[in-house]
């Protein structure tokens, strides 16, 4: 079902001509049929995404007007300090983005076993014999 929703969303989001739209819709219906879904179920999914697209196009709430590139500043999060700095940056025309210094990997650590240094494979010495030719 998730794949059908994804395909229907993609079909309604990307502008194409009527012929390609119909071909894509038939392809989605065929994929649904192969996977055991009745045509009515797949058609309802497509209609739902078409309705969502119509609502988005009719509404001014979802339109984004982008006059210029947003300038962002990344700040580590500290409770009151970051809030104050965010206000200062906003007044200067920047958007402050908070960053958490903790990551899952830092909290959990590595899943790999650490190999002790003495057990690691290394080349300690390369011996070579040079034949020296001398003129006497």
């Amino acid at each position: 079902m998730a794949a059908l929703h994804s395909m229907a969303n993609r079909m309604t989001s990307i502008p194409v001509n009527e012929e390609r739209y119909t071909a894509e819709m038939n392809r989605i219906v065929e994929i649904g049929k192969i996977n055991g879904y009745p045509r009515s179920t797949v058609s309802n999914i497509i209609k739902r995404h078409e309705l969502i697209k119509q609502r988005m196009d009719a509404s001014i709430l979802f339109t984004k007007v982008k006059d210029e590139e947003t300038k962002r500043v990344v700040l580590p999060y500290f409770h009151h300090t970051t809030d104050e700095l965010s206000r200062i940056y906003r007044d200067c025309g920047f958007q402050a983005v908070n960053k958490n210094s903790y990551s899952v990997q830092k909290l959990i650590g590595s899943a790999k076993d650490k190999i002790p240094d003495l057990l690691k494979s290394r080349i300690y010495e390369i011996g070579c014999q040079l034949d020296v030719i001398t003129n006497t």
Side-chain angles (χ1 to χ4, degrees):
M1 291 286 276
L4 293 173
H5 277 281
S6 176
M7 289 183 275
N9 182 42
R10 181 178 178 273
M11 179 186 70
T12 57
S13 299
I14 298 174
V16 293
N17 61 21
E18 284 294 319
E19 181 181 321
R20 289 189 178 192
Y21 189 87
T22 304
E24 187 69 20
M25 185 178 350
N26 291 335
R27 189 174 298 124
I28 293 170
V29 170
E30 185 65 28
I31 290 170
K33 190 170 108 178
I34 291 170
N35 287 289
Y37 293 101
R39 182 179 179 87
S40 61
T41 302
V42 179
S43 296
N44 286 339
I45 290 171
I46 292 171
K47 286 178 186 173
R48 185 177 314 149
H49 284 277
E50 288 173 340
L51 182 62
I52 290 170
K53 173 74 170 138
Q54 288 173 357
R55 286 181 183 163
M56 294 280 282
D57 290 344
S59 176
I60 61 168
L61 294 175
F62 301 107
T63 58
K64 292 183 179 179
V65 177
K66 195 169 190 178
D67 292 333
E68 61 184 58
E69 190 71 25
T70 303
K71 299 173 192 166
R72 292 185 176 90
V73 176
V74 179
L75 301 172
Y77 184 76
F78 297 106
H79 186 57
H80 293 291
T81 309
T82 304
D83 296 337
E84 291 296 322
L85 285 173
S86 295
R87 275 190 224 111
I88 293 169
Y89 278 115
R90 192 178 322 118
D91 292 341
C92 295
F94 291 92
Q95 179 185 9
V97 179
N98 297 326
K99 173 185 164 189
N100 190 348
S101 60
Y102 295 108
S103 67
V104 174
Q105 184 176 5
K106 284 183 182 178
L107 294 173
I108 294 175
S110 176
K112 295 182 178 181
D113 293 333
K114 182 163 173 51
I115 299 173
D117 288 339
L118 294 176
L119 295 178
K120 291 181 183 176
S121 143
R122 294 188 179 144
I123 300 174
Y124 292 101
E125 181 179 334
I126 298 176
C128 71
Q129 209 171 18
L130 295 174
D131 291 332
V132 179
I133 301 175
T134 58
N135 287 336
T136 54

